Amino acid sequence: MTLSCTFSTLLLGTALLSASPLAADPEHRASATPASSIEQAKTKLRALTGTDIDFELHPYSDDFYRLNLGNEHLLLSKDGNYLFSGRVIDVRSRVDHIAKIQQIANQQSMANIPYEQLLTYPANNEQYRITVFTDIDCPYCRKFHKELPALNQLGVTVHYVMLPRGRAGSPAYEKTAATLCAERPNQAMDAAMRSAPTPLQNAQCQHSLDAQVALARQFGFQSTPTILLPNGEALPGYVPARELVARLEKL
């Protein structure tokens, strides 16, 4: 069950904040929250969700809690009466606070990334690391893959999380598994990204594809490519190498 179905009549698609402390300072951190206040907010939320839906409530600002429900992230007013979804924009700083709390959640989830199980293209002189959720059959993923030599030369190490279009047993899944199982996986990945045929008999090994797909689900990523920056910011779609490095230099 998704939150959009559960709370469809209560969520605000876009909210503009200009008067609250949250809006005044995008880096604002919540002051200590009395236990009774957060428990009251939880009680109101539980009355709406019922007991079958699990959620987590965390301080975010003097006016709002950060609500995690699965891989959905929302804002809840401190009195527990209002939920904010979609885009919540500070009209002065232009900060989207839903994107901000998504970034916070991504930072926490990044600790669970098994980098040792991922295909990695190391930089010549590493300055940055990024994680890219990719799919062999995705045209813009292939376009991004062509940028890897330039990114590596510019000091960017790239970790790939594989997110095939099909489920286990589908041609897309089996082709991806075969790539991971190849004797030289990086070379197999390069070939697959050039549309070269992948020997499917190579798919029989102890690969980590299911874990990688589950990892994408944990982040809530469905589209490819999605580029995860070191600060937890997620960039959907293709980004040219020099533009991406310029973005990293500003972190």
Side-chain angles (χ1 to χ4, degrees):
M1 180 180 296
T2 64
L3 188 60
S4 58
C5 293
T6 307
F7 298 144
S8 59
T9 60
L10 296 175
L11 299 184
L12 302 177
T14 300
L16 301 180
L17 304 178
S18 60
S20 72
L22 174 63
D25 182 3
E27 298 300 326
H28 182 77
R29 291 294 179 266
S31 56
T33 303
S36 59
S37 175
I38 195 168
E39 290 305 320
Q40 289 174 7
K42 285 182 178 180
T43 298
K44 290 184 179 181
L45 193 57
R46 183 62 69 196
L48 181 63
T49 66
T51 58
D52 295 333
I53 298 179
D54 294 325
F55 60 80
E56 297 178 4
L57 211 55
H58 305 279
Y60 180 69
S61 75
D62 286 343
D63 293 325
F64 294 93
Y65 294 116
R66 175 168 58 91
L67 172 63
N68 294 351
L69 192 141
N71 55 25
E72 297 185 74
H73 306 279
L74 304 96
L75 293 173
L76 177 70
S77 61
K78 279 291 180 72
D79 60 11
N81 289 335
Y82 299 94
L83 280 169
F84 296 84
S85 178
R87 304 183 69 191
V88 179
I89 302 171
D90 180 336
V91 296
R92 290 179 289 186
S93 68
R94 300 185 180 181
V95 170
D96 181 344
H97 286 281
I98 294 295
K100 188 75 174 179
I101 61 175
Q102 177 68 63
Q103 182 179 342
I104 292 172
N106 288 347
Q107 288 174 332
Q108 295 171 344
S109 295
M110 286 169 70
N112 299 324
I113 297 178
Y115 292 104
E116 71 283 356
Q117 298 179 16
L118 306 182
L119 284 181
T120 296
Y121 289 79
N124 300 335
N125 182 22
E126 185 178 294
Q127 303 295 319
Y128 309 100
R129 291 185 180 188
I130 62 173
T131 304
V132 181
F133 293 74
T134 192
D135 170 28
I136 289 172
D137 295 316
C138 157
Y140 280 99
C141 296
R142 292 179 174 180
K143 187 175 182 179
F144 179 85
H145 192 79
K146 293 178 181 179
E147 302 271 356
L148 290 190
L151 285 168
N152 292 161
Q153 188 65 35
L154 291 167
V156 182
T157 290
V158 177
H159 300 287
Y160 269 153
V161 176
M162 308 303 292
L163 186 57
R165 296 184 181 185
R167 297 181 178 181
S170 69
Y173 181 98
E174 293 302 317
K175 179 166 54 176
T176 306
T179 299
L180 295 177
C181 289
E183 183 176 353
R184 295 183 176 86
N186 286 52
Q187 291 182 15
M189 183 67 170
D190 295 339
M193 284 295 193
R194 294 192 301 267
S195 300
T198 303
L200 295 184
Q201 66 268 23
N202 290 343
Q204 305 303 318
C205 78
Q206 295 297 319
H207 56 74
S208 63
L209 183 51
D210 290 339
Q212 294 186 42
V213 172
L215 183 65
R217 190 179 302 117
Q218 177 183 342
F219 278 93
F221 298 155
Q222 297 181 358
S223 62
T224 55
T226 295
I227 304 168
L228 186 61
L229 303 185
N231 67 345
E233 185 179 359
L235 306 179
Y238 165 77
V239 180
R242 292 197 176 276
E243 182 179 332
L244 183 54
V245 171
R247 188 75 170 260
L248 290 167
E249 289 173 344
K250 294 178 181 179
L251 297 182

